[in-house]
Each structure stands twice: as C-alpha cells, then as structure tokens.
Amino acid sequence: MEWQTNLDAYEKLLIRMSTPRVMIDNAGCCNATRVMIDSARKHGILLEAVQILTDLNLSIKKAYVSCDGRWFMDVFHVTDLNGNKLTDESVLSYIEQSLETAHYGISQSIEGLTALELTGTDRVGLLSEVFAVLSSLHCNVVDAKMWTHNGRIASLIYLKDNDSGSAICDSTKLSAMEGMLRNVLKGDNDIRSAKTSVSLAVTHTERRLHQMMFADRDYERKSIIKSCDDSPVVSVQNYLQRDYSVVNVHCKDRTKLLFDVVCTLTDMQYVVFHATEFFIKHMDGTPISSEAEKHRVILCLQAAIERRVSQGVRLELSTSDREGLLADVTRTFRENGLNVTRAEISTTMETALNIFYVTDAIGNPADPKNIESVRQKIGSSDLKVKEMPQIYHQSSERHEPTTMSSGGAMLLSLGSLVRRNLYNLGLIKSCS
C-alpha cells in the first residue's frame, strides 16, 4: 500500500501546484481588504490575478509580489469604488472562487456571436463608417470596445446576424464584410495595411486590444490628433549582478493602471517576479540586454498607459436597441464635428448601453453647443453628459501623480472613473 500512499501524495501535490490558494483578510489592514494568492510560479500569474480584480471594478490600493524559488505570493489591498473594505460575504466568496478557478490565457467563446477585430488609421467619422457597413450587411453589434492612440484605432466587435439572431457563418458574407471594412480602415496616406479578422473565440477583450495595438506598433507613431500633455514617465535600469531589470512608472492615477502595465510586460514575454518595483526578466531568465531594448520597453509602457486615457467629454447613451442604431448615432456625431476617441458598446435585455468619449476634429474640447445639438437630435433624455475631461477643469485642484517606485509604501492607487456600486457586480463574469 506504500505505492498507493505515494500516489495519493503526488496527486495532492499536483492539485496544489495547479490550484492557487486564496486567502482574504479583513482584520490585518485598517482601511482595505487584503487578498493573498499563493501559487506555483508560471508565466502570467500576476496578470491573471490583476485581471480578475479589475474586471470586478475593485480599486487596488497597494500590491506586493514576491517570488521564492518556484512559488509566488501576491498580496493586494483592495476596496470598493467608494474606498471601503469589502464586507459582503457573497462578493468575497465570488472573488475567492474566481481567483482559484481562473485559467490564464485560455480563449473563451462568446456563445452565438462572431468576434470582429479591426485595426487601421484613425480619423474623424471612422467609427460611423464602420457601423454603417455593418448595418448595411444586417449585422447587429451586441458588444464592442474601441481605443484610439497615436493616429491608430483598434476595435473588438461582437456581432450576430439580424436575420438568424446567431453568429455569422456565411463565408461569402464574412469575406464581403472584411473587404469593405478593410477599405474603410485604410487611410489615404496609410503606409501600413489595415487589418480585419473574424473569429468565434477571443481572449480577454481589453488584453486583446493591447495586443492588437502592440502588433500595430502604435508606440512608434506620433499622434495625428492632439493628445494629453501629461505623458507617463518610464525608466528602466539593469542590475546585471542580480540578473534582472527594474522598471519604474510615474503617471497620473486612473482606473486599471496596474492591469495595463502588467499586461504589456507579460505580452512582451517578460516575467514579472517582484512588484514593489517591477523586477523583470526574459523568459530565459536574463535581464534586458541593450539600450535599444530599454527604449522599446519604455515606449511600449507609455503607449499602454496612454491608450486608456479618455480624451474628451463622456457621453452615455441608454435607449432601446434597434437595427442601425449605432450607425445613426455615430453619423450624428460626425455631422456635428465630434470625433469619437474611445467607445464601449453593450446590449442588455434589448437595451443599448453605450459610452462615447468625444472631442472636436483635432482633439480639442468639443464645443458645448455641438454636444447639445447632438443630444437634441438623438434624444436628450437618452444621451447624457456624464463626465468632463481634465482639460475642462484646468482651474481645479491638480491631482498628484501616481508612483510605482522603490520603497513601495503605496505601489498603486487606482481610482475608478465608473461610479457603479461593487455590490451590483455579482453577475459580472471574468473573461480571463
């Protein structure tokens, strides 16, 4: 029976190595809930944890990551969006289950929907043209996210066929869609090819947007449309005697900052094994090897942070969903001189819940008269102004920059821009 005992012990060890151990402590920290994750070392383990916590719209006040041999210990101090500890047992249980059962890097199918990926040259009215093409092909946009950065656009759109109500399977229709959209996305002076691709399965949406813009090399370009003056400051130092590199980031606080940094480093194939500063190595255990590589890391991290910075006025549209809605709304934006710099589209129970960030044609603050004109045409009760960008509040008190550096008393403080109550998020599904 000794062999059976050894086999049982081996099976328990395998389970222990493949299943993270999660502990949640509300007593050890006076003003935040401490989430501790003990796991076997694997590439992307930090991103996996941060992704789940940010998908739940938690604010990460501090984060510590340490590595001892083949094991990681991640510690996060988190609060709800109002800065309070998490006390609801159902929320705590959901966090624990999500962290213990997540499977990093595995694609998840969006049942009954087709995923459409687009990258190309950004310009005023582009989103209007994209949605007009989809409407003409009788495609219904169920969910979508669009980012712009340095004159480029990346969008991930989930579609279904209006006639069948299911995923689009007609190869002729898909080919026609890709061709039409590729022509729309390609600018007059674009030296790079616009890209479209159709899939039935994708990774985490925001991670995929980062990957698309990284592959498009947006970090090497300069913005065509005016952008924010406050750029993140990134530095990289090598500690060759210890075989690792240290990355420091200084920038203004905003939501999902830690996710964007860790996502970029992970997808660049660096192992992040310490995060009071970001200690990183290549997958083969070596540090950054050249000044050119350092420069590339700095550019890529600056781009990752800037992609999510929301320029312009935040408009929220809540109305009954219908065929051609997005084409009509974005055409109205274009006709009134508004440029969409970021968009989040969702549909819940036949209701369209859409968020748009808009500026004027060159990235300056949009004229309030134009915004009011758009509201009157679309419906002032349906389209509401929810948030003004910092450029509209230059006379207000300036925010202190967030610092990711040595000492680490506070690694991150991520304030959410979305004022939703955490306790309404129990049904949110992590797409890790």
Side-chain angles (χ1 to χ4, degrees), residues 231-335:
S231 298
V233 177
V234 182
S235 63
V236 179
Q237 291 181 305
N238 270 349
Y239 286 77
L240 298 179
Q241 68 276 22
R242 297 187 181 180
D243 293 329
Y244 60 75
S245 303
V246 179
V247 176
N248 288 315
V249 180
H250 299 256
C251 68
K252 284 190 174 181
D253 178 26
R254 62 145 177 82
T255 187
K256 298 190 178 182
L257 178 58
L258 181 58
F259 170 83
D260 295 335
V261 172
V262 175
C263 178
T264 299
L265 291 172
T266 301
D267 285 333
M268 292 180 73
Q269 298 300 300
Y270 292 110
V271 178
V272 181
F273 63 95
H274 195 280
T276 50
E277 294 174 295
F278 288 100
F279 290 8
I280 65 173
K281 295 181 178 181
H282 288 106
M283 297 289 289
D284 62 5
T286 59
I288 289 174
S289 59
S290 68
E291 289 300 316
E293 186 182 0
K294 280 186 184 180
H295 184 61
R296 183 168 179 264
V297 170
I298 290 170
L299 290 179
C300 289
L301 287 176
Q302 287 175 334
I305 292 167
E306 291 170 352
R307 287 169 195 152
R308 200 190 292 271
V309 175
S310 302
Q311 301 298 313
V313 178
R314 174 176 169 138
L315 303 177
E316 292 189 5
L317 175 68
S318 178
T319 188
S320 298
D321 191 27
R322 61 173 173 80
E323 186 174 352
L325 172 66
L326 288 170
D328 293 342
V329 169
T330 52
R331 185 185 67 251
T332 303
F333 288 160
R334 183 192 67 208
E335 291 173 348

Side-chain angles (χ1 to χ4, degrees), residues 189-201:
N189 299 313
D190 190 10
I191 61 173
R192 304 181 187 184
S193 297
K195 296 180 181 178
T196 64
S197 64
V198 176
S199 174
L200 293 178

Side-chain angles (χ1 to χ4, degrees), residues 5 18 59 74 85 96 105 123 148 168 174 186 208 263 273 279 316 318 329 337 349 352 374 377 379 393 395 417:
T5 302
S18 61
S59 179
D74 302 343
K85 279 186 175 183
E96 188 172 347
R123 67 177 185 278
T148 61
I168 302 168
L174 291 174
K186 186 174 177 60
R208 184 59 189 148
C263 178
F273 63 95
F279 290 8
E316 292 189 5
S318 178
V329 169
M349 301 294 291
V374 167
K377 292 175 181 177
H393 303 292
S395 61
L417 298 177

Side-chain angles (χ1 to χ4, degrees), residues 216-231:
D216 195 51
R217 305 175 78 90
D218 69 314
Y219 54 88
E220 294 180 343
R221 297 172 60 91
K222 296 298 181 182
S223 179
I224 297 173
I225 295 175
K226 182 179 177 181
S227 61
C228 180
D229 294 328
D230 299 307
S231 298

Side-chain angles (χ1 to χ4, degrees), residues 21-22 72 121 126 137 158 160 172 214 238 250 385 392:
R21 181 173 59 185
V22 179
F72 268 96
T121 301
L126 176 60
L137 294 172
Y158 297 103
K160 65 180 179 181
T172 302
F214 175 73
N238 270 349
H250 299 256
V385 178
Y392 286 80

